[in-house]
């Protein structure tokens, strides 16, 4: 947020920090905060993609200046209906394109990974084991190299899931270069390559990012360099409507990943969105409904054999509706145990992943080549384990009741893979490892198969995917956390079912489902949306009560140790995310106390000299300036003159004024027609440009500008006596960028504004850097 750095010297310090750090290091790192002595403004730097970027806030607040009011008054009923219609049309297009791209991604992955596995199986059947290993490793290395080279060289922000950045954006943080056309392209191709390579990651997180990219591009009329300037798109040239579109895109991405329309809406509501209302609920649900229709149409088409190996597999859908669920006291014991284990392992996973990401940062700081080598090393290790560990497993005779077409199998998928076993036998470890991640989940979720997997095989599977889940996330490829966590959780869920076999009547496959749900709740700390997603995934409503219990227990246990994994990533990136719950000590501090340790506020007059405006823009990085009118006689009839707070004007609007040379030779107020002749509200919505691009002559410096027509006359103001906790809640819930602090007592000669608070000023760690005595004793601090 530009308003957080108040002098050129501070700006110079930030540039030095950027220069000292490698511009191509890992996207996850500790926050970059400059320590200051008795000054509150935090450092507006964060890691977005692989670069240290200046972070600004978004203008979710309606800027009620004269132009906006005139435009709002002049809108006809037809234009209002057109605006509503376009909102629904864009929601439809977001769902349509997300569904199509998700289907193409799944089709590509199933065919690439499928033919790769068929070739490996053929080598194994011919006992050419070494050749099979070389082919398997080489194929996976090529796919990983394609995904990694695209992310490293063309779109660093496409690496990772993208969900933390989307969460920050919807919270009001402008994360640059996250929603461009190049990011969308790299995310699609990179996801196909990384998932087809058998890496322990999923396409769910990338699909959320893909849906958000589609929504952003549709809302702005295409890529920045080739933007369509259609008249009707002017309605969406603002941060508020773009926020709603990206929310619809995120929910559509979850729906496309899990084929869960209701779960997608609830995911956006519970996890990523900060502001919500009923109209947005309807449009997001409409978008997910369109996604489901598109997916269903493609699935029906592919069942006819027109999509190669994409058919019965493909989109994640783990049907366990063929078993009944009954409850008794003994049956609830493993349910509670799974919930507790999920919370403990989830918090442990978050802690260890935090350490791994810091280690990866040290490696990736050395440059692009090290990023690429790290990705290839993880791919090599994964391939060797997936191919070699099944040789450790034992061959198990097939159940005589099963037909030969079911056990054993030698195809791309199947629940009883023969691998290197003799005829009539199968290798349970190969069934879990030498397959795609989606099919591995289907196999371990399989019901009515209590004797299919041996305990040692499940233990090997669980330990391997715990290791892979830690070392894979954070490499320079598009990656999601959902599927790795599902694989880990299903492992200990199935193992617990084997251990408690005679003491519970819950199917082992259902316990694997509960294990996956518990670990996701223990790591991501979601409950309602996860519950619905798993119900839509498994198609078994009878699982609802025990799933709810497992999720609640796992989240409660996990919250006792550390934050959710996405909150940890937000902290590592340094993104100024504003949490919903203020710290208790914030109630003992007032906004006046915060203003006292900030530099004096920079104000402008209603009719200001051009030279003063240029100085304010060049010597500060403020994004908002209070506009004052002196010697104003109040309308109450009091004869004495006073200073009036006319409102707040944005930096972008001042730059527009200078670019258009809207100068006056004398100090006077302008007429309404003069403003409309020079500016439109569409132009004022643009945020491009900086003061260095504006040339002002010496004669123009002596002219004047009437700022009244461009000033937001209704900024949010708070009394200096308001607690920081209350101010933070107001700032977050309304979606502010600037909050003006006014004095409690207006004395003669006292400015009506004593300071401006921004997002950085209200963050807990920034406040504690100035007021360290407010922190709790070390033994009572909340763990991060």
């Amino acid at each position: 947020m530009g308003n957080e750095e108040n002098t050129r010297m501070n700006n110079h310090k930030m540039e030095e920090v950027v220069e000292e750090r490698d511009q191509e290091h890992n996207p996850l790192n500790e926050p970059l905060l400059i320590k200051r002595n008795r000054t509150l403004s935090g450092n507006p730097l964060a890691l977005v993609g692989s670069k240290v970027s200046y972070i600004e806030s978004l203008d979710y607040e309606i800027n009620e200046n004269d132009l906006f009011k005139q435009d709002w008054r002049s809108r006809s009923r037809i234009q209002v209906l057109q605006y509503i219609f376009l909102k629904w049309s864009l929601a439809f297009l977001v769902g349509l394109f997300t569904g199509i791209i998700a289907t193409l991604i799944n089709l590509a992955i199933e065919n690439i990974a499928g033919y790769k596995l068929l070739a490996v199986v053929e080598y194994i059947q011919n006992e050419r084991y070494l050749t099979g290993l070389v082919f398997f490793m080489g194929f996976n290395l090529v796919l990983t190299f394609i995904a990694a080279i695209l992310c490293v060289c063309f779109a660093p922000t496409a690496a990772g899931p993208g969900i933390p950045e989307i969460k920050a954006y919807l919270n009001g943080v402008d994360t640059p270069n996250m929603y461009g056309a190049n990011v969308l392209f790299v995310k699609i191709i990179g996801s196909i390559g990384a998932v087809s390579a058998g890496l322990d990651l999923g396409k769910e997180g990338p699909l959320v990012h893909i849906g958000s990219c589609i929504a952003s591009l549709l809302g702005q009329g295409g890529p920045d360099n080739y933007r369509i300037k259609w008249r009707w798109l002017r309605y969406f040239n603002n941060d508020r409507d773009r926020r709603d579109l990206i929310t619809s895109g995120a929910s559509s991405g979850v729906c496309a990943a899990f084929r869960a329309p209701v779960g997608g809406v609830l995911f956006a509501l519970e996890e990523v969105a900060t502001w919500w209302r009923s109209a947005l609920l309807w449009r997001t649900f409409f978008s997910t409904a369109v996604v489901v229709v598109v997916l269903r149409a493609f699935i029906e088409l592919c069942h006819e054999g027109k999509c190669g190996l994409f058919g019965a597999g493909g989109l994640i859908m783990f049907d366990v509706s063929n078993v009944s669920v009954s409850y008794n006291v003994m049956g609830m014991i493993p349910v509670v145990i799974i919930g507790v284990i999920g919370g403990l392992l989830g918090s442990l996973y978050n802690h260890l992943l935090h350490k791994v990401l810091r280690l990866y940062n040290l490696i990736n700081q050395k440059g692009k080549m090290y990023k690429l080598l790290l990705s290839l090393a993880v791919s090599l290790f994964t391939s060797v384990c997936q191919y070699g560990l099944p040789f450790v497993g034992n061959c198990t005779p097939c159940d005589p009741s099963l037909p030969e077409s079911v056990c054993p199998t030698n195809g791309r998928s199947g629940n009883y893979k023969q691998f290197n076993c003799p005829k009539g036998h199968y290798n349970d470890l190969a069934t879990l490892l030498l397959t795609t991640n989606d099919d591995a989940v289907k196999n371990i979720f399989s019901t009515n198969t209590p004797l299919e997997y041996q305990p040692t095989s499940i233990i090997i599977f669980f330990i391997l995917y715990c290791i892979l889940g830690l070392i894979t996330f954070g490499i320079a490829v598009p990656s999601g956390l959902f599927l790795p966590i599902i694989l880990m959780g299903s492992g200990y869920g199935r193992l617990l079912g084997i251990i408690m076999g005679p003491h519970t009547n819950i199917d082992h496959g259902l316990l694997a489902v509960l294990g996956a749900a518990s670990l996701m709740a223990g790591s991501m700390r979601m409950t309602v949306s996860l519950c619905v997603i798993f119900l839509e995934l498994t198609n078994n409503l009878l699982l609802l009560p025990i799933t709810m219990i497992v999720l609640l227990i796992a989240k409660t246990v996990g919250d006792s140790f550390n934050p959710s994994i996405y909150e940890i990533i937000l902290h590592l990136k340094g993104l100024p995310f504003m949490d919903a719950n203020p710290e208790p000590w914030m109630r003992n501090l007032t906004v006046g106390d915060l203003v006292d340790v900030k530099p004096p506020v920079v104000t402008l007059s209603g009719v200001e000299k051009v030279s003063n405006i240029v100085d304010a823009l060049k010597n500060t990085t403020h994004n908002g300036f209070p506009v004052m009118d002196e010697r104003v006689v109040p309308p109450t009839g009091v004869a004495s003159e006073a200073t009036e707070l006319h409102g707040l004007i944005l930096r972008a609007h001042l730059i527009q004024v200078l670019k258009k040379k809207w100068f006056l030779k004398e100090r006077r107020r302008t007429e309404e027609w003069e403003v409309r002749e020079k500016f439109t509200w569409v132009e004022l919505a643009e945020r491009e440009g900086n003061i260095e691009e504006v040339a002002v002559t010496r004669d123009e410096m002596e002219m004047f500008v009437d700022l009244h027509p461009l000033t937001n006359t209704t900024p949010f103001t708070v009394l200096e006596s308001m607690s920081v906790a209350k101010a933070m809640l107001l700032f977050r819930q309304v979606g502010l960028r600037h909050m003006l602090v006014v004095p409690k007592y207006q004395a003669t000669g006292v400015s009506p504004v004593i300071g401006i608070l921004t997002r950085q000023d209200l963050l807990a760690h920034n406040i504690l850097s100035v007021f360290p005595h407010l922190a709790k004793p070390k033994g009572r601090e909340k763990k991060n």
Side-chain angles (χ1 to χ4, degrees):
M1 289 174 295
N3 201 38
E4 283 76 359
E5 291 302 319
N6 297 291
T7 64
R8 267 182 178 270
M9 185 178 298
N10 289 344
N11 193 42
H12 180 65
K13 288 180 181 179
M14 289 191 298
E15 291 174 357
E16 287 179 349
V17 172
V18 177
E19 291 172 0
E20 288 172 3
R21 300 186 63 89
D22 180 11
Q23 292 289 302
E24 298 297 335
H25 52 52
N26 188 266
L28 299 172
N29 193 11
E30 59 187 85
L32 300 172
L33 298 173
I34 299 176
K35 295 183 179 179
R36 306 181 184 277
N37 294 321
R38 302 298 295 170
T39 179
L40 184 61
S41 298
N43 187 0
L45 295 175
L47 286 163
V48 182
S50 64
K51 294 184 178 180
V52 180
S53 302
Y54 287 86
I55 298 298
E56 294 188 1
S57 283
L58 297 165
D59 293 314
Y60 288 158
E61 179 187 359
I62 296 177
N63 197 330
E64 293 186 344
N65 54 33
D66 290 350
L67 282 173
F68 172 82
K69 294 174 183 176
Q70 172 62 27
D71 175 75
W72 192 256
R73 287 193 301 265
S74 63
R75 284 191 184 185
S76 64
R77 181 175 177 82
I78 294 178
Q79 287 177 314
V80 174
L81 292 175
Q82 181 187 26
Y83 173 59
I84 296 173
F85 173 76
L86 290 175
K87 278 189 172 183
W88 286 92
S89 299
L90 286 177
F92 170 80
L93 292 176
V94 168
L96 177 66
F97 288 127
T98 304
I100 292 173
I101 290 177
T103 303
L104 295 177
I105 289 174
N106 281 280
L107 191 149
I109 290 173
E110 288 295 311
N111 279 282
I112 294 173
Y115 284 115
K116 174 190 70 176
L117 292 172
L118 287 176
V120 171
V121 167
E122 185 175 351
Y123 284 123
I124 293 174
Q125 285 180 327
N126 295 330
E127 297 185 358
R128 298 172 61 187
Y129 301 125
L130 185 58
T131 305
L133 174 61
V134 172
F135 173 82
F136 190 65
M137 289 192 305
F139 201 95
N140 289 343
L141 280 174
V142 170
L143 293 173
T144 304
F145 177 81
I146 294 173
I149 198 70
L150 287 174
C151 288
V152 170
C153 298
F154 297 101
T157 52
I163 294 178
E165 290 85 355
I166 295 170
K167 188 173 180 177
Y169 184 92
L170 298 180
N171 188 257
V173 180
D174 186 11
T175 48
N177 304 318
M178 279 299 298
Y179 306 105
N182 61 326
V183 176
L184 175 63
F185 173 78
V186 172
K187 202 81 176 184
I188 294 172
I189 303 301
S191 297
I192 294 173
V195 177
S196 300
L199 294 173
D200 184 26
L201 45 83
K203 52 188 177 292
E204 300 76 32
L207 276 173
V208 175
H209 193 183
I210 287 169
S212 300
C213 288
I214 292 171
S216 179
L217 290 171
L218 285 173
Q220 70 182 25
D224 292 333
N225 297 332
Y226 305 97
R227 189 177 298 183
I228 299 173
K229 299 291 184 179
W230 288 347
R231 179 178 174 81
W232 57 270
L233 280 175
R234 72 187 190 277
Y235 291 124
F236 301 94
N237 194 21
N238 62 84
D239 292 332
R240 292 172 63 88
D241 286 318
R242 194 172 294 118
R243 174 189 68 190
D244 291 350
L245 276 174
I246 288 177
T247 303
S248 297
S251 60
S252 298
V254 174
C255 173
F258 294 109
R259 208 187 309 169
V262 181
V265 175
L266 292 177
F267 174 84
L269 171 61
E270 182 180 9
E271 182 60 23
V272 297
T274 298
W275 297 278
W276 198 263
R277 59 188 188 280
S278 58
L280 182 58
L281 174 68
W282 302 336
R283 287 198 298 275
T284 54
F285 188 68
F286 176 61
S287 295
T288 57
V290 173
V291 172
V292 169
V293 171
V294 172
L295 298 181
R296 190 72 251 174
F298 274 101
I299 288 173
E300 291 298 327
L301 177 67
C302 291
H303 277 166
E304 300 175 6
K306 299 179 180 179
C307 302
L309 297 178
F310 181 86
L315 296 174
I316 301 174
M317 185 66 184
F318 313 123
D319 194 348
V320 294
S321 59
N322 59 340
V323 292
S324 59
V325 182
S326 58
Y327 311 103
N328 53 44
V329 176
M330 289 300 297
M332 295 305 296
I333 293 177
V335 172
V336 175
I337 294 175
I338 285 177
V340 174
I341 294 176
L344 293 173
L345 290 182
S347 58
L348 178 62
Y349 176 74
N350 291 356
H351 174 75
L352 294 177
L353 187 60
H354 182 212
K355 302 300 181 184
V356 170
L357 293 175
R358 288 186 181 276
L359 175 62
Y360 277 9
N361 174 68
L362 298 176
I363 298 173
N364 290 306
Q365 278 182 354
K366 298 181 179 180
K368 295 180 180 180
M369 182 59 66
Y370 286 85
K371 277 186 172 185
L372 193 59
L373 290 176
L374 178 61
S375 302
L376 296 178
V378 171
S379 174
L380 187 64
F381 176 77
T382 303
S383 300
V384 170
C385 291
Q386 289 176 338
Y387 187 91
L389 285 178
F391 288 98
V392 180
N394 297 323
C395 293
T396 306
C398 292
D399 189 334
S401 62
L402 296 174
E404 291 187 5
S405 59
V406 174
C407 182
T409 59
N410 289 308
R412 173 186 61 87
S413 60
N415 219 33
Y416 300 91
K417 285 204 169 183
Q418 185 175 355
F419 194 60
N420 62 336
C421 296
K423 187 175 181 180
H425 292 71
Y426 70 94
N427 188 314
D428 59 345
L429 204 50
T431 302
L432 296 175
L433 298 182
L434 203 62
T435 185
T436 63
N437 289 338
D438 291 357
D439 284 333
V441 174
K442 292 176 184 177
N443 293 339
I444 201 167
F445 278 4
S446 60
T447 55
N448 298 318
T449 55
L451 302 178
E452 178 181 357
Y453 302 106
Q454 300 177 15
T456 53
S457 299
I458 297 295
I459 292 173
I460 293 173
F461 170 83
F462 173 68
I463 294 175
L464 173 63
Y465 274 98
C466 283
I467 297 172
L468 295 179
L470 287 172
I471 66 173
T472 305
F473 187 80
I475 63 175
V477 296
S479 58
L481 276 171
F482 284 90
L483 206 60
I485 292 177
I486 288 176
L487 287 168
M488 287 185 284
S490 60
Y492 70 75
R494 187 99 191 187
L495 183 62
L496 188 63
I498 294 174
I499 295 173
M500 297 194 65
H503 305 291
T504 179
N505 56 357
I506 300 179
D507 189 89
H508 293 184
L510 298 185
L511 289 175
V513 173
L514 295 177
S518 70
L519 190 59
M520 289 188 73
S523 177
M524 299 181 178
R525 311 294 156 77
M526 294 184 292
T527 53
V528 180
S529 57
L530 272 184
C531 186
V532 175
I533 286 173
F534 269 90
L535 289 181
E536 292 180 292
L537 274 177
T538 58
N539 197 26
N540 194 333
L541 191 60
L542 296 175
L543 276 175
L544 177 61
I546 54 177
T547 303
M548 293 172 64
I549 293 173
V550 163
L551 293 175
L552 289 171
I553 294 175
K555 183 184 186 304
T556 303
V557 173
D559 283 338
S560 303
F561 295 95
N562 51 30
S564 72
I565 186 61
Y566 291 135
E567 291 179 18
I568 291 174
I569 295 173
L570 283 169
H571 174 72
L572 286 171
K573 286 177 173 288
L575 292 170
F577 183 83
M578 188 165 285
D579 196 67
N581 302 310
E583 298 290 342
W585 51 261
M586 288 184 175
R587 301 199 177 276
N588 302 324
L589 196 68
T590 67
V591 293
D593 297 329
L594 300 184
V595 170
D596 288 342
V597 295
K598 291 192 64 177
V601 63
V602 178
T603 63
L604 298 174
S605 299
V607 180
E608 186 59 86
K609 201 172 182 180
V610 173
S611 59
N612 293 338
I613 295 175
V614 172
D615 288 342
L617 294 176
K618 286 187 174 181
N619 296 326
T620 73
T621 55
H622 295 354
N623 265 316
F625 300 87
V627 176
M628 309 288 192
D629 280 326
E630 296 181 350
R631 300 176 184 176
V632 176
V633 178
T636 56
V638 181
S640 61
E641 296 177 343
T643 301
E644 175 194 11
L645 170 61
H646 186 74
L648 186 80
I649 189 167
L650 298 179
R651 167 181 284 265
H653 295 173
L654 291 174
I655 292 176
Q656 288 279 353
V657 167
L658 298 178
K659 280 186 174 181
K660 286 181 173 288
K661 309 288 185 180
W662 194 54
F663 304 146
L664 305 171
K665 293 184 178 180
E666 68 277 355
R667 187 186 293 270
R668 68 175 178 87
R669 296 282 292 265
T670 55
E671 300 293 335
E672 188 176 306
W673 63 269
E674 294 181 86
V675 185
R676 293 202 308 270
E677 191 178 70
K678 200 71 174 178
F679 297 97
T680 65
W681 67 274
V682 175
E683 291 175 331
L684 294 182
E686 296 292 339
R687 300 176 62 183
E688 288 83 8
N690 54 66
I691 185 61
E692 284 75 18
E693 299 173 354
V694 180
V696 182
T697 66
R698 182 174 299 179
D699 293 337
E700 291 171 340
M701 285 286 192
E702 301 302 318
M703 295 183 180
F704 299 91
V705 175
D706 181 16
L707 301 179
H708 294 95
L710 306 178
T711 300
N712 178 14
T713 57
T714 58
F716 280 84
T717 59
V718 296
L719 288 176
E720 60 179 330
S721 57
M722 178 181 284
S723 70
V724 173
K726 191 173 183 179
M728 176 185 166
L729 290 175
L730 174 65
F731 197 99
R732 185 181 190 273
Q733 290 172 0
V734 182
L736 300 180
R737 186 175 188 178
H738 306 96
M739 178 182 285
L740 276 60
V741 181
V742 299
K744 189 172 184 180
Y745 303 102
Q746 182 68 56
T748 304
V750 176
S751 173
V753 175
I754 61 174
I756 298 181
L757 294 181
T758 59
R759 175 180 296 268
Q760 293 282 356
D761 302 326
L762 296 171
L763 294 179
H765 60 264
N766 283 348
I767 297 175
L768 290 177
S769 66
V770 181
F771 302 97
H773 64 278
L774 294 173
K776 291 182 179 181
K778 190 173 182 180
R780 297 174 57 194
E781 285 182 358
K782 183 179 178 181
K783 295 183 179 180
N784 290 323

